[in-house]
Structure formats: C-alpha cells, structure tokens
Amino acid sequence: MADSLPSHARVVVIGAGVVGSSVAYHLAAQGCKDVVLLERSKIGSGTSWHAAGNMETYRADPLIGDMIRYGVDFYPRIEAETGQALGWRRSGRVMYTCDPNRVAYFKGLPALGEARDVEIEYQTPRQVLEKLPVITDKGILAGAWIPSDGRINPTDLATAMARGAKMRGVKIVEDTPVTGMTTRNGRIASVSTSKGEIKCEAIVIASGLWSAHLGAMIGVRIPLHAVQHHYILTKPIDIVTRDLPLFISYDELIYGREDVGGLLVGFFDKHAIPVGPGDLPHDFSFGLLDSNWNQIEENMAIALERFPVLHNAEIRTLLNGPESFTPDMQMLLGEASAVRGCYLACGMNSSGIALSAAAGKLTAEWILEGRPSLDATKLDIRRFADSQSITRFARDRASEVVTHMCKFALPDLDFTDARGLRRSPLHAPLAAKGARFVTVQQWERPIWFAEHGTGDLGSVGSEITAAESTVALFDRSSDAKFLVEGPRAGSLVAKLSGAAGDLPVGGVRFVPMLNAKGGVEVLAGIARLSDQSWLLLAEPEQATRLRSWAEWHRPAAGATLTDVTSGWAAIALAGPHSHALVHELAGRKVDLAGSVQRVDLVYAPAMSVPWLRSFGAYLLVPTEFAADLYERLVEAGKGHGLRHAGSLAAAALATRHGVPQFGAEASPQIAAVASGLDRLLDVEGNHGFIGRTAVIRDRKRQKGREVRAFTAAITAPSIFAGAPVLQRNRLVGYVTSGAVIPTLGKAMLMGLIDRKADPLACQVLLQGEKYPLTPWDRTGL
C-alpha cells in the first residue's frame, strides 16, 4: 500500500492508526486529495491493533453519542467501498450495577434512549442473568440492555480506512518515522522524515502515545500520557456462545465480550501504571508490554466472583498494551494555539475505535472549513493550559483517569491526585470556610461552600438566595486577565469584537468575539484603561482560547499581549447589599455599574470592572493585597448577611439573568444570532470586526436552533445540562444550563432548541420524568 515520499502536500497526517487513517480518508472524501499519511511502522500498529474493538452506541454525552452514531453508520459504508471486511456485528450490550445510587439512573435510561433514538431496556437482576448466563447475579440491583451495541476488528478498521484514503488519492508512506518539523511565522512549514522532507500547509498529529513527543518538536504542548491497560483472553468455554452480549459494570470496573468461543474480560485498574515513549523499544509497533498479574489482582478477584466460569477456564493470555489518556478523559482535537496549521487528533481515552470515524470527519472539516459540523468545543485542545502538558502532571493524572471515568457523575466530581497546583491567594481562608474545590485549568476554584461542616448540591440554594437577598462573595481570581497595549491595540480589539469599536476610556463591555462563520470563539469582558491600553477578562475555561485568538490576529507590530492573571486577584459581590459593603470599605460612594473605577478599599488599591451583569461588584486587587481585603470584606459583611458562594451559584445567576455562558449557550458552533449575543454588536458602526458578514447573513436566514429560556416546576437540585427537550415525544433540543432558584420556587433553564418548536408545548426529560416548560423572555443582554 506504500507510496514514495512527495516533496509537498497540503496536509500531512502523522500516524496511520484508526484515527490518522480516518483523518486522511475524510480529507480526501471532502475533496482534499493532496494528503500524505505517514506511518513510522505499519498501518494499524502502535496502540490501535490491540484494542478490544467494543462499540457502545449510547453515551450520556450528546456530542459523543452523535459521534458514535456517525461511526455506526460509516462502518458498513467503508466496508462496502473498500471490500475490506471489518468483523462488525451487533451483539448488544448489558450494563449492570450493584450501586444503589445508580439504580435511578438505570431506570431513566429507556426514556433517554428513546429521546435519542437508541433502544434501551431496563433489566431486573434476573433479566441480566438471562442475557449473561456466564455470571452470577449476586448483588446486582439493576441493568440495561442496549441491542444496537456491537464489536469490530480494530486492525481491519484501520486497513479499511487507509485503503479508502488511498483509493481517493491519498499517498501513504509506511516505515517512515518523523524526525523533525519546522515553522515559519508561527505556522507549520515542513515535516522531516527518515526519507526526506515534505513541505506542507497543515499537519495532523494522530500518533497516540507518541503525540506529545512530536508536538514538542515545534513547541506544541500536548496533554496526554499512556498507561498500561489489561485484559484477559480465555480459551473456549462451553457456555460461551457467539451471540453472548458485550458487558460492562462501572462500579465493578470490568467490561468484556465473547472472543473466539472464550471470554475477553478487561479491567479499569486503579493506579494504572504510566508508560511513555522512552519506556518502549524504539521499534515498538505490534508489541505488547509484559504481563503484570499483580497489577490486576484486585480486579481479577472481582471477576472470579462475578464470573464463576473463570475458575475452571484456561487463560490464553493476559494482554497488556499501552493506551493514551488526557487529563479530563476527553480526546484532543482542533488547532494548537502555539502553531497555526498544527491540528491534533489523539488522546482517545480507550474510545479510539468507537470514535475514530467521527474524529476523522471533524478534523477534516476543521482543516478545510474552519470548524467541525458538530459542536466539539469540549474536545478542543485550547481547553487546556500549557502547564497541564507537563509530563509529571500528565503522567500522574493518566494513572487516575482510568478508574475516574467509571465514577458516577456528580457536580463536584474531580480527581484526587495532582491537586492544589494553582491556588488563589484566598485559597486557605476559603478552605477554612468550607469551600469544596473543583479544578479548572488546574486552578482550585470553589464550587460551593459547606455550612456547618456539611455541604452538597443543596448548599448552592442558600448561596443563590444570599446573592438575591443580601450579599454573596465569590473568589474570581482564576479569571483570565490580559493587557493589550500599544498604538494598534484599539484596532485589534475592534477587530476581535464588534462590541468594542467605540469604547471610551473607562468604558467596560461584555463582548462576544466571533469567528468568520459567526460563532463565538470567546466570551469576554473588555475595559479600556487608557488610549492605548485595554484589559481583557474571561472565565478560566477560556484562558487559552482568549490568548490564542488574540495572538492569532495580533499585528506584527504596534500591539502587545501580556498575561497578567497572576498579578491580580478578583473578588466579586452579588446581591442588593453589594454596593453598601463596598461603599463602607471605600469610605465613600463608588459608581460600581457604569465604568472602570479605581478605588482604595481600606489599604488595598483596587479597580472596579463591572463586566458581568450578574454581579453587583467585580473588584480587581493586586495579589499581595487580596488576603487583607478579603478579611475586611468578610468582617464588614457580617452586618450585611454576607455568605460565601461558589461557581455553581455564579452559573445559576447567569442563567437567572439570561446571560449566555461559554461552552453552554455560546460556542464556535453556535451563531451569535442564535444566542442573542448579536445584540451586543455594533454591526453598523464597526465594519471591520471578525464575523460581521456572518451576523448579517444569520439575521436574515434564521435557521437551525436558537437559545431559549424556560422555567419548570422543579424544586430539587439536579444536573440539568444535557437533558433532552421534547415536543410531543420528539427531540427538539437540549438544556444547556439550569438551576433551581429558591426565591422563585422553580428551576430556570436555558437550552438550544429548534426554531420551529412550539415553546408552549415543550417538556424537559429529567431522570426519566417529563416536566412541562414555560417560556420566559431573557433580559440579561
């Protein structure tokens, strides 16, 4: 299948496993045939060939569910196109649980499946046993049957996609390791290999556990690390039939299926053993790691208890192969911030087989069209800080990810290792006040505060109440803060956002920064500090996006961009007593709503920057003054009913005010017109901002989904994001954010809904129950 090495290609894809081969195929299928697929060894080598090949057709995450749906539809097509059999067959899958906390979730799965057009049946323990006669039902409380799940041969899949790519014009060069890369003016320029150099306009790093090493060649930091991953294969067992379903139990950390008449039983092992490129032979291609029975001793004990047939089964092999994981269990896609034209498609977290088809399609779209057809914001490499790619962090986190991905999703679910790395200057006193921390870009950020030593999702209600009736204090020190300075700073800011063109000195605005297609790349605050100095603010999730978006459009001279996040702490106040509290510390009345105000708060030189409507005051203070100012705010706040509050309350307040949040109601895929953010843009006065043409077009077109707001008679705290919205049992959208507002006695929700849907006939599906929705008019913008 190999071709000779050309001197030039529009796109060079590095790595011919299932993901890289899929990228090459989809580039060609979308019309870009000037593609070279490089492989250091042979197609399907590395980590693809030893994957279990299980295909799960239902995932709780709507995005991942859509990606898997594409793969299930794609595999028969690529098989027919290339003539390469894939071994694809639907045997169904049984999920079971012994955890009482999961039973309600299992009972709600059939309704969720129906909303997403996936058949799911709730199973009693006896029904689980009937589907899986190889197990004992001891301790099982509930199960689910998904008949559409199946299995595929990973090596055949990689071969089929590579063959399809070649049939469409892609050049494939095997046995050709990459030895270096070059850049020019911040863009990829060429790839050097053992057989020569290829000049190119774009590259895709799809090299599994070797990806971080390749990225380092051009200063691209890639946060992933591999760990050892184990499964056993038995010789044939009489009771095991070819149609035995796949099985998985997240609380028992076990999965598997039939394999050549025997069983494949795999494990999510605790404290997985890290393995990096330096730990492997230079020619590691179709190799495996040494069997390590000690590592899976605990898992094996559970398997022997659950599968009595294993006691007398003959183990054919204990397979130990490396698998790559990212710090948040999601794959890495998109363009790297450090080098334009460098795209990633790696870090598949043991889901490479199921997601490879869609990952290839989305990556090809990202390169050729500027964005993917699905909203893949949560998969974008720019969600990470550079520090998260430090080898020690990526290694330690990967060791924990394997079992973390099996835990029951809760709002405060987070990792336990590699914590406390980025701390606000207020971290210690907030911890003493009962803060429950969850990390974002390694920052320890309070999610809620426990009252009297105990706290959970219910604690958020009292924080929201304080923010609406007295005063709530939020530590916002993790917010990203950048200075744009110079004679061309104003023109850069005006180009980045149509809301900032005529901002006077001292002016502050909440602004969307759009891409050329009218989607929102960043939601930020902009404050003009002087004629040639601007302050950009954004929540920490957007820090890398904001930096890269500004850098990508910054002129070669006349404007500088400086990260000043660590130099300024930020304290926000919400509630009717916010202003009185600030006035008390300032010793005078301060305008906290109109413009930037420099104000001395007792001993602290602070700056008021009112960029978010949901807060009564947003105060920036030099880091070294933060602790003293905080203590004085808390002391003075006793007379105002001050309560500490976390990020969930802040998000609830944004929903309460109808303000879109990035990653929920605003993203590169959601048009500013659809979210209502176009109302902030000066389309007539600022003709030069990115996305202006798309905004004008979208205002006329009015197609697709739009952000709508609803209330629902729900009083119990819940996780609302991702809940299906139905109209007469037909899926018309999803909830993007929501919260129970105690002062209203109901939940307020925002969602992305089909424009043609009748707002008076919509229901939200939550934990198997349907709740009528009542529309309300957002006023937050």
Side-chain angles (χ1 to χ4, degrees):
M1 191 180 283
D3 294 297
S4 59
L5 189 74
S7 61
H8 178 274
R10 180 178 177 185
V11 184
V12 174
V13 181
I14 307 173
V18 288
V19 177
S21 297
S22 175
V23 172
Y25 172 87
H26 284 91
L27 282 167
Q30 293 174 34
C32 179
K33 302 181 186 300
D34 187 12
V35 178
V36 172
L37 176 59
L38 290 177
E39 171 51 51
R40 61 189 290 274
S41 181
K42 300 295 183 184
I43 292 168
S45 63
T47 58
S48 291
W49 73 273
H50 61 70
N54 297 337
M55 284 288 297
E56 303 171 2
T57 56
Y58 174 80
R59 293 286 184 92
D61 186 311
L63 168 64
I64 304 303
D66 286 345
M67 292 177 70
I68 289 177
R69 183 191 300 269
Y70 173 77
V72 171
D73 292 340
F74 172 78
Y75 295 143
R77 289 191 281 113
I78 192 69
E79 188 175 54
E81 180 180 331
T82 64
Q84 172 65 55
L86 303 180
W88 166 240
R89 72 176 193 259
R90 294 177 186 255
S91 53
R93 175 168 55 111
V94 174
M95 302 170 61
Y96 66 87
T97 184
C98 303
D99 182 356
N101 295 317
R102 294 186 191 261
V103 173
Y105 171 76
F106 272 63
K107 288 182 177 179
L109 280 175
L112 279 173
E114 181 182 5
R116 297 177 184 171
D117 199 25
V118 178
E119 182 183 351
I120 304 177
E121 299 176 14
Y122 177 76
Q123 301 277 281
T124 65
R126 179 176 293 277
Q127 289 173 314
V128 171
L129 185 60
E130 290 172 354
K131 295 285 188 187
L132 291 175
V134 293
I135 70 169
T136 171
D137 63 353
K138 179 182 178 181
I140 293 178
L141 300 176
W145 165 242
I146 307 175
S148 55
D149 284 7
R151 53 190 287 188
I152 199 167
N153 186 302
T155 304
D156 291 339
L157 178 60
T159 301
M161 289 195 285
R163 181 179 296 174
K166 186 173 178 64
M167 290 167 61
R168 290 175 176 269
V170 171
K171 292 180 174 63
I172 300 175
V173 187
E174 296 178 288
D175 299 309
T176 308
V178 170
T179 57
M181 289 179 264
T182 64
T183 62
R184 183 178 297 112
N185 298 324
R187 298 193 67 94
I188 191 68
S190 69
V191 176
S192 298
T193 77
S194 60
K195 296 180 180 177
E197 183 183 65
I198 313 174
K199 289 182 169 54
C200 57
E201 284 80 59
I203 63 169
V204 180
I205 298 178
S207 307
L209 67 89
W210 293 274
S211 296
H213 170 71
L214 290 166
M217 293 179 176
I218 48 174
V220 171
R221 309 191 71 163
I222 301 178
L224 64 75
H225 204 284
V227 298
Q228 296 182 16
H229 184 65
H230 303 80
Y231 61 78
I232 62 169
L233 295 169
T234 75
K235 289 188 175 181
I237 301 171
D238 289 343
I239 196 174
V240 175
T241 60
R242 190 174 186 273
D243 60 353
L244 183 78
L246 284 69
F247 53 84
I248 192 166
S249 173
Y250 289 115
D251 31 273
E252 292 191 337
L253 307 179
I254 197 169
Y255 70 91
R257 58 170 170 80
E258 178 272 343
D259 187 83
V260 197
L263 285 177
L264 180 156
V265 182
F267 310 110
F268 305 101
D269 50 319
K270 297 178 181 178
H271 309 295
I273 300 172
V275 56
D279 302 319
L280 302 173
H282 179 71
D283 60 352
F284 188 86
S285 298
F286 290 98
L288 293 170
L289 305 172
D290 293 337
S291 298
N292 189 342
W293 287 99
N294 291 334
Q295 175 66 11
I296 63 164
E297 182 178 359
E298 183 178 346
N299 302 89
M300 197 64 196
I302 294 172
L304 287 168
E305 184 174 348
R306 180 60 61 199
F307 294 82
V309 295
L310 289 179
H311 286 277
N312 297 315
E314 186 174 351
I315 304 298
R316 179 153 51 96
T317 186
L318 168 61
L319 190 145
N320 181 7
E323 293 280 354
S324 298
F325 292 86
T326 64
D328 66 353
M329 306 176 293
Q330 299 279 16
M331 71 180 74
L332 302 173
L333 299 181
E335 190 173 13
S337 61
V339 176
R340 300 303 307 270
C342 175
Y343 294 84
L344 305 181
C346 52
M348 304 305 288
N349 301 277
S350 281
S351 293
I353 305 304
L355 299 175
S356 58
K361 179 177 185 287
L362 297 181
T363 300
E365 293 167 344
W366 225 312
I367 295 170
L368 302 178
E369 301 175 22
R371 70 176 184 183
S373 54
L374 295 177
D375 191 349
T377 306
K378 66 175 62 176
L379 310 179
D380 193 324
I381 176 62
R382 292 179 294 163
R383 69 189 185 270
F384 288 112
D386 285 346
S387 56
Q388 289 173 280
S389 66
I390 292 174
T391 301
R392 179 65 180 268
F393 174 80
R395 184 190 68 191
D396 291 352
R397 178 55 54 84
S399 181
E400 186 182 354
V401 161
V402 179
T403 50
H404 186 85
M405 63 200 304
C406 299
K407 294 180 179 178
F408 193 64
L410 295 170
D412 64 336
L413 178 63
D414 206 343
F415 297 89
T416 56
D417 296 335
R419 292 290 302 272
L421 308 180
R422 296 181 83 180
R423 284 176 273 182
S424 156
L426 306 181
H427 181 88
L430 295 178
K433 293 290 185 180
R436 171 65 173 172
F437 295 97
V438 170
T439 53
V440 52
Q441 285 211 355
Q442 294 180 309
W443 282 100
E444 296 287 344
R445 183 173 67 175
I447 189 170
W448 64 57
F449 286 79
E451 289 184 314
H452 311 298
T454 61
D456 54 21
L457 192 57
S459 302
V460 180
S462 57
E463 296 174 13
I464 297 171
T465 299
E468 295 208 309
S469 58
T470 56
V471 59
L473 182 149
F474 301 81
D475 178 18
R476 303 278 300 198
S477 299
S478 58
D479 284 353
K481 313 167 194 77
F482 290 88
L483 282 177
V484 182
E485 298 175 299
R488 299 183 66 184
S491 61
L492 170 60
V493 171
K495 180 179 181 179
L496 292 175
S497 179
D502 61 348
L503 200 63
V505 173
V508 184
R509 283 183 186 158
F510 177 61
V511 304
M513 298 182 181
L514 309 188
N515 54 42
K517 295 183 181 294
V520 180
E521 287 290 333
V522 183
L523 264 183
I526 290 183
R528 190 170 189 177
L529 305 182
S530 68
D531 285 343
Q532 297 187 10
S533 180
W534 302 70
L535 177 66
L536 310 184
L537 297 157
E539 293 181 304
E541 295 90 338
Q542 301 182 72
T544 304
R545 300 187 65 89
L546 175 56
R547 185 195 68 209
S548 62
W549 194 247
E551 283 288 3
W552 288 354
H553 297 94
R554 187 172 63 85
T560 61
L561 181 72
T562 307
D563 187 347
V564 295
T565 302
S566 298
W568 293 85
I571 299 173
L573 302 173
H577 293 192
S578 298
H579 288 201
L581 180 56
V582 174
H583 297 163
E584 184 175 331
L585 266 63
R588 63 182 179 87
K589 286 192 174 183
V590 182
D591 180 7
L592 296 172
S595 60
V596 174
Q597 295 287 327
R598 299 186 183 274
V599 54
D600 296 335
L601 299 177
V602 191
Y603 298 114
M607 183 164 59
S608 168
V609 187
W611 69 287
L612 286 171
R613 178 181 174 181
S614 48
F615 294 133
Y618 186 94
L619 305 170
L620 292 177
V621 59
T623 299
E624 64 271 25
F625 287 93
D628 180 74
L629 176 59
Y630 164 78
E631 290 166 1
R632 295 178 185 279
L633 282 168
V634 171
E635 182 62 29
K638 291 177 181 178
H640 296 275
L642 182 143
R643 195 198 193 287
H644 291 75
S647 60
L648 283 185
L653 292 174
T655 302
R656 172 77 167 88
H657 289 278
V659 178
Q661 299 171 76
F662 188 82
E665 296 82 29
S667 79
Q669 194 67 24
I670 302 173
V673 172
S675 62
L677 287 165
D678 64 305
R679 284 177 273 170
L680 302 176
L681 304 173
D682 183 8
V683 175
E684 300 303 323
N686 182 353
H687 287 215
F689 72 87
I690 301 168
R692 178 178 180 272
T693 301
V695 169
I696 295 171
R697 177 203 65 205
D698 291 342
R699 284 177 173 175
K700 295 177 181 178
R701 190 164 58 178
Q702 297 289 314
K703 290 184 177 180
R705 290 179 172 176
E706 65 181 356
V707 174
R708 293 182 181 175
F710 300 93
T711 62
I714 301 172
T715 57
S718 183
I719 301 175
F720 294 100
V725 175
L726 309 175
Q727 179 180 310
R728 300 192 235 348
N729 294 321
R730 182 178 66 86
L731 183 69
V732 294
Y734 292 98
V735 173
T736 49
S737 61
V740 173
I741 308 298
T743 53
L744 300 178
K746 56 187 174 183
M748 302 191 76
L749 312 173
M750 294 171 70
L752 200 59
I753 312 297
D754 293 345
R755 290 179 187 272
K756 294 182 180 179
D758 180 357
L760 298 175
C762 289
Q763 298 172 305
V764 62
L765 178 62
L766 202 64
Q767 296 176 347
E769 299 292 330
K770 297 174 184 176
Y771 298 87
L773 294 174
T774 302
W776 63 281
D777 185 29
R778 293 190 293 137
T779 58
L781 298 178

